[in-house]
C-alpha cells in the first residue's frame, strides 16, 4: 500500500515537473528566436513591411495609389451607397442590441 502511494506521488511529481519544463523550454525558444539574427529574406520582408507602414501613415492611406485608384474607389463607394443606403461605408458599422422583453404567459 505504501509502495502504491509512493508510485502515485512520484508519477504526479513527474507530470508536474514535465509540464513545468515544457513551458520553460517553449518560452526560452521564443526568446532565443527573437534575439538571434534573422534570415536575410525575413529581414528584407520585415524591413519592407515597416517601410510601407511609415509611408502609409504619412500618406494617410494606400501608398503609391494614383488618381486612377482614387477614382475607382469613389465609384465603388458611390455604387455601394446606392445599393445599400447612405452612411459612411469606410467604417465598420455599430450595432446596438436591445434586451428582449420577456413576459410570462398566464397559465
Amino acid at each position: 500500500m505504501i509502495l502504491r502511494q509512493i508510485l502515485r506521488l512520484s508519477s504526479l511529481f513527474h507530470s508536474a515537473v514535465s509540464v513545468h519544463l515544457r513551458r520553460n523550454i517553449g518560452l526560452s525558444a521564443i526568446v532565443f528566436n527573437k534575439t538571434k539574427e534573422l534570415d536575410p529574406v525575413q529581414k528584407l520582408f520585415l524591413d519592407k513591411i515597416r517601410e510601407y507602414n511609415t509611408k502609409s501613415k504619412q500618406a494617410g492611406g494606400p501608398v503609391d495609389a494614383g488618381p486612377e485608384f482614387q477614382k475607382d474607389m469613389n465609384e465603388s463607394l458611390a455604387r455601394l451607397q446606392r445599393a445599400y443606403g447612405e452612411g459612411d461605408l469606410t467604417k465598420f458599422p455599430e450595432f446596438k442590441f436591445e434586451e428582449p422583453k420577456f413576459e410570462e404567459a398566464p397559465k
Side-chain angles (χ1 to χ4, degrees), residues 26-38 42 46 50:
L27 289 176
S28 63
I30 292 170
V31 170
F32 179 71
N33 282 339
K34 287 186 178 182
T35 59
K36 74 174 189 175
E37 188 62 32
L38 292 174
Q42 289 175 337
L46 288 176
R50 289 181 185 129

Side-chain angles (χ1 to χ4, degrees), residues 10-20 22:
S10 68
S11 67
L12 288 173
F13 180 73
H14 179 267
S15 64
V17 168
S18 67
V19 167
H20 186 69
R22 240 182 283 141

Side-chain angles (χ1 to χ4, degrees), residues 103-107:
E103 294 180 11
E104 191 170 320
K107 293 183 179 180

Side-chain angles (χ1 to χ4, degrees), residues 48-99:
K48 288 294 181 180
I49 289 176
R50 289 181 185 129
E51 179 184 340
Y52 184 84
N53 189 21
T54 56
K55 283 183 180 179
S56 176
K57 285 180 182 176
Q58 289 174 352
V63 177
D64 298 333
E68 299 167 359
F69 174 79
Q70 193 63 36
K71 180 183 171 193
D72 290 342
M73 175 90 159
N74 290 338
E75 288 175 0
S76 298
L77 285 175
R79 186 175 62 245
L80 288 171
Q81 282 181 337
R82 283 193 304 270
Y84 296 108
E86 296 297 319
D88 189 10
L89 296 177
T90 59
K91 293 184 180 177
F92 193 78
E94 294 181 14
F95 298 105
K96 295 180 183 176
F97 296 104
E98 295 180 9
E99 289 290 326

